[in-house]
Amino acid sequence: MSTPATRADEEEAGDRSALIRKKLVCSGAVQGVGFRPSVYRLARQIGVAGSVRNDEEGATIEIEGTADQVSSFLEQLPEALGPLARLEDVRESSLPLMGSRGFHVDLSHLAKRHTALVPADARICEYCEGEMHDPTDRRYRYPFTSCTDCGPRFTIVESLPFDRERTSMRDFPLCPDCIQEYENPSSRRFRAEALCCPDCGPVLELLSPTGTPLVDRKEVLTRSRQILRQGGILAIKGLGGYQVACRADRISSIRRLRKRKARTSKPFAVMVRDLVAARSFVDLGIGDEQLLLSAAAPILLAPQRSGTQMASAVNPGLSDLGIMLPTTPLHLELFSEDRLDGEGDAEEAFQALVMTSGNLSEEPICREEEEALDRLVAISDALLVHDRRVVRRCDDSVTRTMPAGHMVIRRSRGFVPDPLPLAVRTPEPVLALGAHLQTTACLAVEDKAIASQHVGDLDSLAARSFLLEVAKGLEDFLQCEAKVLAVDLHPDYPSTWEGQRLARERDGKVLRLQHHLAHAAAVLGEHQAFPDPGRTVAALILDGTGYGLDNTAWGSELLVLNGDLEWSRRGHGVPLALMGGERAVRDPWRVLCAAYARSGKEGMLASLPMAAGVDPIQLQQVTLLSKRPGWPTSSGAGRIFEAAGALMGLAVRNAYEGEAAARFEALAATARDPIPAWEGLEDLLTGDEVRTDLLLIMAGERLLGGELAREVAAGFHTSFCRLFALLARRQLPKRIESMVLGGGCFVNRLLVQGFMDEFQDMGLKVLLPRIVPPGDGGLSYGQCTLAAVTLSRGVDPRLKGG
């Protein structure tokens, strides 16, 4: 039935009786992605009148035209949007006719936000790159070129809606030429909020470690390239903070960088000139190349090709190389051919640069010049800076090639703050603060969860402050203050303390959630597969450590969870003594000693490759002490694979988290043929316990018996997968249809493939983490998922049996 206003319009218009007016409330990635310009052009093309504006919901369109025109507009809208836009929902309602003429872009509407978010930063698009290479274009070689399809978003926005005056680009008033582009509906830069050019935009400067300019601004890029080409180390202000770069083919430069950064062996990522160079360094499939060229443009861990010009010091002991393409115009300019500047022989041009975070080890990346001059001067020979403020720190994202697709290992630039789905709608906002390592924060509101950028390990006060900074940023975006704080069960994690403190200050409540249950919830949430009441799923969670309900460290958990939040621990690895507590995490040979001593096989230790890297007296002392009671224990699968790496002599001490395990996987990947599971594995199952200590002894016996190290490593992986599959066959209820795989050990490509094969052979549907990190970087999202289910269903997770 029409409203009085509608009848009046119809009577007055007469021949306009066929016209209708609609209101379309659009949600998704619709701000800062060229949505309004796309809507404007489509409306003009079809001939409808009305307006579009940014607002608290996302964007609102009002259109007036014939029923056919409006229908055509709705049908064509999704395909008319730019590459960064993502239309998730359109709520349609009828309005009275207003007799509108023409279509226009309205000013943004400021109100309390519900779902509107800014998109992630995007890699430079092909059109902007083409302009930079065109000598006749006014943005020729300008290192801040962008448009509605690319450039900074998340890292420059101060508040929403996403308009220039609420970003750090407000410091740069537009010149007349840029204003013309900004207001021209046919321009690719129509309403492009990061728009600028050499006449009105940011400028570069090259500083010495003391902060004094080294060259005239016109010579900044020329001199920067010279520093890199000659083997120097350069700090570079990027999208989300500083990066540190040096040539990837100069081992002397990399060794200096490692020494200055106190990063002895942790692998570096490399940025390569272009896709041709990428193909020469790593094995890439079509999907891999598409990911590198995507707007997110993450670092991709892929198998390294042999015989490349990459220095071995980039990724010592590993078979994968982390590779990325230039993400910004500034990066492109660093790779510009030397001959463009008359700087010497083009043969001296580099194809790849080490590109690592601009920070001291385990600290947040530097954001502005003052921080860089304080913290990076001891690392770099010069600093390439600019005057566009970085509002939000944001490190590079990391992905890895995996069986049947890719896996996000670190979710940050290019992915954040894209929303993640919640398994159920949360009745009230939830703020989750993760655990201790690879930390992120996550905010759940209504049916979405917004995970923060990578924060890192919380060993320093700076890192803990950064966690609070990103948590507040999430709440500011959505203009809410969560009174439900989800934290890890571990009582001594700084994230737990901060969650408890915030709950007290807000008169809220804390949900302390078991670590491995949250890992399972993260995968279930990503796949929208959290069980309904009465339904049950299984999960195998493998990681280094997580606080168990018995106050010990768990980490190889076969769990069963139902939709009523009842869960049980159906099996686990054998707990092994952590000789020296945290020292055993850094020195995995200690765990190996505990495993061998537990079974009376300590006499083998001195014959293993591990013994060459450990003082004999210390080895004997630790072995004897491991037999005494009272040491903390852990059943973590990560500890087992690190011990296996130590057994082989690959890394008796971890210079970074999981080093020995990563080197062990790399060794196993070199086996020429598939290695079957070892015989006698059934004897390694004792009730609900897997004797992973005996698996380590079997590996040592095979190695000492003359089997090739790479075959022992490959067989260990295969046998580990078979062992836990045997456990699942014995312990899981018959009604189980799905198996969740989660936890940090599933960054291991061989484990992913092995468990997929085992559980699919059992007829189970396997759910893997893909867009959410499998390790603790995805834990806060799992905590939000579990909290949302807890609040919506009115029950807390509770252990049954096990």
Side-chain angles (χ1 to χ4, degrees), residues 101 144 199 225 228 260 300 456 528 610 693 711 750:
R101 303 291 182 185
F144 301 96
D199 293 333
R225 281 190 289 268
L228 291 169
R260 293 178 181 183
L300 176 65
Q528 293 288 275
M610 171 271 298
D693 57 329
E711 294 182 356
L750 300 179

Side-chain angles (χ1 to χ4, degrees), residues 116 237 337 456-457 464 478 483 518 534 554 725 743 750:
K237 187 176 181 182
E337 294 290 345
D457 302 348
R464 297 170 196 176
L478 292 181
K483 292 193 174 183
W554 294 2
L750 300 179

Side-chain angles (χ1 to χ4, degrees), residues 607-610 647-649 667 697-710 712-713:
S607 301
L608 296 173
M610 171 271 298
L647 183 155
M648 296 288 183
L667 176 63
I697 291 170
M698 291 174 72
E701 291 172 341
R702 285 175 170 268
L703 189 65
L704 296 179
E707 190 170 327
L708 292 175
R710 62 173 181 260
V712 175

Side-chain angles (χ1 to χ4, degrees), residues 509-702:
K509 64 179 178 179
V510 174
L511 293 179
R512 298 181 63 197
L513 302 172
Q514 203 282 321
H515 190 91
H516 302 97
L517 200 61
H519 273 311
V523 183
L524 290 167
E526 172 184 337
H527 289 275
Q528 293 288 275
F530 205 95
D532 295 326
R535 306 279 296 183
T536 305
V537 297
L540 179 64
I541 309 300
L542 305 176
D543 65 359
T545 187
Y547 198 72
L549 298 187
D550 58 359
N551 302 324
T552 67
W554 294 2
S556 50
E557 310 304 313
L558 181 64
L559 307 177
V560 169
L561 168 68
N562 67 30
D564 299 308
L565 291 187
E566 296 173 334
W567 66 285
S568 58
R569 191 188 189 200
R570 294 302 180 97
H572 54 85
V574 63
L576 295 177
L578 295 178
M579 295 294 304
E582 283 299 312
R583 290 188 67 184
V585 178
R586 295 190 298 270
D587 300 343
W589 65 269
R590 294 170 177 269
V591 177
L592 185 70
C593 289
Y596 274 62
R598 190 181 194 277
S599 301
K601 296 289 186 177
E602 62 269 25
M604 295 174 58
L605 290 169
S607 301
L608 296 173
M610 171 271 298
V614 181
D615 179 82
I617 296 176
Q618 190 178 22
L619 177 62
Q620 185 179 24
Q621 290 174 339
V622 168
T623 303
L624 289 172
L625 288 172
S626 68
K627 294 184 176 182
R628 296 183 181 179
W631 294 105
T633 62
S634 171
S635 60
R639 303 286 86 83
I640 298 301
F641 279 88
E642 289 172 347
L647 183 155
M648 296 288 183
L650 301 173
V652 295
R653 294 176 178 84
N654 282 326
Y656 58 90
E657 184 195 1
E659 179 182 14
R663 288 175 178 251
F664 186 60
E665 180 197 355
L667 176 63
T670 64
R672 295 177 180 175
D673 299 303
I675 306 297
W678 298 333
E679 295 181 359
L681 295 177
E682 292 83 358
D683 297 335
L684 275 60
L685 294 179
T686 306
D688 64 353
E689 192 171 80
V690 177
R691 292 293 302 275
T692 49
D693 57 329
L694 297 181
L695 192 65
L696 287 167
I697 291 170
M698 291 174 72
E701 291 172 341
R702 285 175 170 268

Side-chain angles (χ1 to χ4, degrees), residues 4 140 170 228 232 238 267 283 320 351 369 434 438 474 539 574 629 666 675:
Y140 176 55
R170 64 186 169 85
L228 291 169
D283 292 325
D320 271 18
Q351 296 297 312
E369 187 177 315
Q438 305 168 28
L474 293 174
V574 63
I675 306 297

Side-chain angles (χ1 to χ4, degrees), residues 3 48 73 90 140 217 283 328 347 354 391 513 521 536-537 619 714:
T3 64
V48 293
F73 180 91
V90 178
Y140 176 55
R217 286 179 174 176
D283 292 325
T328 70
E347 286 75 21
V354 164
V391 177
L513 302 172
T536 305
V537 297
L619 177 62

